[in-house]
Amino acid sequence: PEAVVKKYLEEVKGSPADEDCIICMEKLSSPSGYSDSCECSTIKPETVGRLTNCQHSFHMLCVLAMYSNGNKDGSLQCPSCKTIYGEKTGTQPKGKMEVSTFPQSLPGHKDCGTIQIVYHISRGIQGPEHPNPGMPYTARGFPRYCYLPDNEKGRKVLELLKVAWKRRLIFTVGTSSTTGESNTVVWNEIHHKTEMDTNLSGHGYPDPNYLDNVLAELAAQGVTEDCLKQ
């Protein structure tokens, strides 16, 4: 964890700006509020670091505490502006993503056919990255069927969803917002359309803003067009 923090933050020399560290809410000129709970031989409680791209500053020990509480995947996300450093990965359980196309159009996308994505995840036992390691998790409502228009933007979203799937970002183990069941597989902040021909539920078409919205949600998870060039 210390190496990750030092990789993305540069130490601020001299006296830090007169502002608060938004992680511990103490002044940057005071020691980190995490100095009791997070001990580290190589980072002093008063050391302030600045993230290299977005230039936001925090106590380095606070960033270490934040990173150590996450799923420690080698990436950091700025708590101020959400810029991602490194490659963010999630805790999605094992499964399969299948893609097919058919000629029928979606409402609002009359000029093209449809891409169908099918996600398969089965119940299993939670790993160390999940809320209750060693306990079972359920997987309700699988396989899940999702739909995209088979046009240029829809195909781009599909390719980015494949990257998000590989990085385990599409589902996670948590508490279902619809049923309240805990220790179950739930969607993770990247919205999908699970109905084709009605949008009464908000999960179908027509929805003229959907593709732009999902591109923004993918970008918030660090999945952007740059990932497709690699």
Side-chain angles (χ1 to χ4, degrees):
E2 293 158 36
V4 173
V5 170
K6 289 179 171 174
K7 180 175 175 184
Y8 300 121
L9 284 101
E10 52 196 16
E11 195 176 320
V12 175
K13 303 290 184 200
S15 52
D18 183 33
E19 53 188 65
D20 294 344
C21 168
I22 72 158
I23 302 174
C24 72
M25 305 318 279
E26 300 286 347
K27 286 257 181 267
L28 288 174
S29 49
S30 314
S32 160
Y34 280 93
S35 37
D36 301 337
S37 56
C38 183
E39 290 188 9
C40 170
S41 54
T42 58
I43 298 175
K44 295 190 178 74
E46 60 276 6
T47 306
V48 172
R50 187 185 289 122
L51 282 164
T52 47
N53 290 351
C54 64
Q55 300 289 303
H56 287 116
S57 300
F58 313 93
H59 293 117
M60 287 180 82
L61 202 58
C62 290
V63 178
L64 180 66
M66 179 184 79
Y67 178 78
S68 300
N69 275 328
N71 58 350
K72 298 193 272 293
D73 59 4
S75 76
L76 273 183
Q77 188 161 23
C78 173
S80 259
C81 66
K82 307 294 183 221
T83 297
I84 292 173
Y85 294 79
E87 185 177 293
K88 182 177 177 181
T89 57
T91 59
Q92 170 181 291
K94 283 191 171 51
K96 196 166 62 168
M97 174 183 185
E98 295 174 335
V99 178
S100 56
T101 54
F102 52 86
Q104 190 185 338
S105 337
L106 293 164
H109 296 281
K110 291 282 176 246
D111 51 345
C112 63
T114 297
I115 297 166
Q116 176 179 277
I117 303 169
V118 188
Y119 294 113
H120 300 267
I121 293 180
S122 307
R123 60 204 173 114
I125 300 295
Q126 297 182 47
E129 71 274 35
H130 294 132
N132 296 295
M135 275 182 67
Y137 62 82
T138 55
R140 311 259 182 227
F142 286 91
R144 294 193 187 180
Y145 292 81
C146 309
Y147 304 97
L148 291 167
D150 191 6
N151 57 18
E152 190 179 353
K153 204 179 232 179
R155 287 188 290 269
K156 180 164 89 176
V157 168
L158 172 66
E159 291 309 310
L160 292 171
L161 287 173
K162 288 179 184 172
V163 173
W165 172 264
K166 275 201 198 96
R167 293 186 187 174
R168 303 176 66 194
L169 294 168
I170 291 181
F171 295 97
T172 186
V173 173
T175 300
S176 165
S177 57
T178 41
T179 65
E181 181 181 8
S182 54
N183 300 305
T184 192
V185 180
V186 293
W187 293 105
N188 182 35
E189 322 228 343
I190 299 169
H191 284 88
H192 284 64
K193 292 295 189 185
T194 51
E195 293 172 16
M196 279 187 65
D197 39 15
T198 152
N199 198 19
L200 295 174
S201 63
H203 302 306
Y205 291 92
D207 181 347
N209 302 320
Y210 171 63
L211 294 174
D212 289 328
N213 291 345
V214 76
L215 286 169
E217 290 170 348
L218 283 156
Q221 301 287 339
V223 181
T224 60
E225 281 185 71
D226 292 348
C227 305
L228 302 179
K229 296 175 188 143
Q230 290 165 9

